[in-house]
Amino acid sequence: ANTYQVQKLWDKAIEYHQKSKQTSQLINYQYGIVMSLNNIGYIYVEQEKYKEAFEVLLEAKNIVDKINSSID
C-alpha cells in the first residue's frame, strides 16, 4: 500500500490499506486498524477529499480513545 501511496496511485493504495485494515480487524489488532485508517485519511487529504478524510480520521481517533479509556 505504501509503495502505491508514494507513487500517488491513490486507488491502489486505498485498496491495500483497506485490506490491511480488514486483516487487522480479523485478529483484533487495534494499532493496525488505526494505522490503516490514518494512511487512508492521509490519502484523502492529498486528494483534497476533506470530508472523507475527516470521517476516516475520526474513526481512527475513536478507536484510540476507546483504547485509552480501557487503560485508565
Side-chain angles (χ1 to χ4, degrees), residues 59-72:
E59 182 180 351
K61 179 198 174 296
N62 289 338
I63 293 169
V64 170
D65 288 345
K66 184 177 177 182
I67 293 168
N68 286 337
S69 71
S70 71
I71 294 172
D72 295 337

Side-chain angles (χ1 to χ4, degrees), residues 3-62:
T3 300
Y4 290 122
Q5 195 167 325
V6 169
Q7 296 172 347
K8 299 186 188 282
L9 298 171
W10 305 125
D11 291 338
K12 277 290 191 189
I14 289 174
E15 176 185 340
Y16 281 92
H17 284 306
Q18 289 285 8
K19 288 180 181 184
S20 176
K21 177 186 161 204
Q22 290 169 349
T23 301
S24 294
Q25 288 172 321
L26 284 173
I27 61 173
N28 197 31
Y29 181 50
Q30 299 298 307
Y31 179 77
I33 296 168
V34 169
M35 291 306 298
S36 295
L37 290 169
N38 280 337
N39 287 327
I40 293 167
Y42 172 80
I43 291 169
Y44 284 143
V45 168
E46 286 292 308
Q47 294 178 309
E48 299 181 358
K49 295 181 177 179
Y50 300 115
K51 180 181 178 191
E52 292 89 340
F54 176 79
E55 291 170 359
V56 170
L57 294 170
L58 182 61
E59 182 180 351
K61 179 198 174 296
N62 289 338

